[in-house]
Amino acid sequence: MKLPEATGGSLGGGPDMRLKKKAALVSNAARALIAYRRRRATVNHFPSYLWIEPTNRCNLRCVMCPSGAGDVTFGRGFMALSLFRKIVDEIHPRTSTIVLALGGESLLHPGLFEMIRLAAGREVKVHLNTNATLLDREKAEALLASGTSSVSFAFDGFNKRMYEEARRGADFESTLDNILHFLRRKKETGRKRPFTVLSILDLGLGVSSPEEKAAFLRNFDGLIDDIHIRRPHSVGPAFLKRRDFKFEVFDRASGPCGRLWNTLGIAWNGDVLPCTYHMNHEYVLGNVNEMTVAEAWNGPAMVALRTAWLEGRPLGLSPVCENCAVAGSPKILGIPAGLRSSLADCLTNIFGYGFEKKVLRLANVVRKGKFTTRPIRAKG
């Protein structure tokens, strides 16, 4: 099937253009869901949710990260701004969100804020995942002015021992100060964006009393938009023999992986990857230095992987898919996790972050508190 042709030019030209973009996103999301339910390996829509990796270098050695554990052996580097611009020029009419992260700490990239400006200028929502250790005063101001839509701060612990045991190489006090300074500056300048989330992995490292936890969370009263407690899970077979932190193992898929029908990863060197877990580039769909994103999206490698999932034999092509939390999470209303998150993001682009918060809380109600991410209501 042939993909619809992308239109040139910026979509930031006014309300009519923004309305056209929203309509395109709804159409694209509907096509993704239909293609999945009709079990199509070749699709006629475009991925609406892309993970783009500014760099796979990181300044920490986190226990729950394959990179921090020394399991990532692929070469390190930084994405060229020219390559990022090429990607955005192609994907902006039909892409809802770019997540600037995959296997590294994006604040290490010297051109990160220019990347954000390029994408935001094309009406693409930009989400940044960061450990915040490098978010000094200068970078805080640059990030606030960059046009990023949302920022997730990874801060895994309610006290110094818990945090530093998980985020090896980080300092509890200085990183917390970086985050709080950023949030205060956002409030002082009267900015509604970026939408901010504190993301805490429950790794089972150390303990904190209820009073200690409450005191920690009070730091964010009136500053943060949302706080999430997340359940860690296995990343393919990488952690199955680990016993130094707790994680959930998904040993059975609930159906074909929904990510293959609406998301895509692009590494710093241009390699196109099926998802974020292919940090060693175990299964490469192509390279955008030599082809378009659309060509990789419906190319032989991606069609073969979708087909393998539809036929129940994905591990023959992609062993990384073993024990995957995305494929193993139960469907909600018949929609798989990998597709559900990108559909929710598309609607968030239309209705705002309040919609996203409601969807997350609804998912926790439906799953009776067993959803992989549990929100803690931030006090405004």
Side-chain angles (χ1 to χ4, degrees), residues 77-377:
F78 295 90
M79 179 175 282
L81 277 172
S82 58
L83 178 58
F84 184 82
R85 185 179 291 108
K86 174 183 182 291
I87 295 167
V88 172
D89 284 346
E90 179 188 356
I91 61 100
H92 75 87
R94 296 161 294 182
T95 295
S96 170
T97 293
I98 289 173
V99 181
L100 289 176
L102 204 157
E105 171 51 52
S106 296
L107 283 174
L108 285 167
H109 196 296
L112 176 67
F113 304 118
E114 178 62 21
M115 288 178 165
I116 296 172
R117 284 190 289 270
L118 282 169
R122 290 298 189 93
E123 296 288 337
V124 178
K125 188 152 58 75
V126 181
H127 176 76
L128 177 67
N129 287 336
T130 178
N131 62 40
T133 56
L134 303 175
L135 191 62
D136 57 24
R137 277 26 180 183
E138 182 179 354
K139 286 186 173 68
E141 296 301 319
L143 183 57
L144 284 169
S146 66
T148 187
S149 298
S150 56
V151 179
S152 179
F153 301 108
F155 199 93
D156 305 317
F158 298 110
N159 57 40
K160 184 178 180 69
R161 178 176 177 270
M162 293 173 67
Y163 172 77
E164 293 183 4
E165 192 171 342
R167 298 271 165 181
R168 293 176 180 172
D171 180 79
F172 178 85
E173 291 84 2
S174 64
T175 308
L176 180 60
D177 179 66
N178 287 348
I179 296 171
L180 292 175
H181 172 79
F182 177 88
L183 295 173
R184 292 186 188 110
R185 287 294 297 149
K186 178 193 167 189
K187 186 173 184 177
E188 289 167 1
T189 54
R191 297 177 185 270
K192 293 184 178 180
R193 296 288 177 266
F195 184 85
T196 53
V197 175
L198 187 73
S199 177
I200 304 171
L201 276 173
D202 181 12
L203 294 162
L205 299 175
V207 294
S208 62
S209 67
E211 295 77 16
E212 193 173 28
K213 179 180 177 181
F216 172 79
L217 293 175
R218 277 196 297 271
N219 286 305
F220 300 92
D221 287 355
L223 295 174
I224 199 84
D225 292 305
D226 219 352
I227 300 174
H228 296 167
I229 305 295
R230 297 168 54 219
R231 292 176 14 227
H233 53 77
S234 56
V235 181
F239 291 155
L240 295 185
K241 296 182 180 179
R242 296 282 296 274
R243 297 293 182 268
D244 50 340
F245 64 94
K246 74 174 186 181
F247 57 89
E248 188 172 4
V249 176
F250 291 80
D251 57 4
R252 182 179 302 175
S254 63
C257 179
R259 278 192 174 178
L260 303 183
W261 275 262
N262 212 24
T263 67
L264 209 57
I266 303 178
W268 70 267
N269 70 331
D271 279 353
V272 184
L273 307 173
C275 79
T276 58
Y277 298 149
H278 290 255
M279 294 185 188
N280 274 315
H281 300 216
E282 294 91 342
Y283 191 82
V284 178
L285 308 176
N287 188 290
V288 288
N289 284 294
E290 303 163 355
M291 65 198 313
T292 65
V293 175
E295 287 169 341
W297 176 241
N298 254 343
M302 184 57 132
V303 171
L305 187 56
R306 290 193 192 111
T307 300
W309 266 105
L310 291 170
E311 295 177 354
R313 50 176 183 83
L315 300 187
L317 288 179
S318 177
V320 174
C321 296
E322 184 180 9
N323 305 117
C324 177
V326 177
S329 295
K331 295 178 180 179
I332 296 179
L333 302 177
I335 304 174
L339 192 55
R340 190 169 60 235
S341 58
S342 59
L343 293 177
D345 175 80
C346 172
L347 294 175
T348 297
N349 209 334
I350 297 170
F351 298 114
Y353 284 99
F355 173 84
E356 182 177 80
K357 292 174 71 172
K358 290 176 181 177
V359 168
L360 180 57
R361 282 162 174 78
L362 177 61
N364 273 273
V365 171
V366 172
R367 291 292 317 283
K368 299 179 180 179
K370 295 182 180 180
F371 198 62
T372 52
T373 300
R374 177 170 57 88
I376 298 176
R377 191 173 299 277

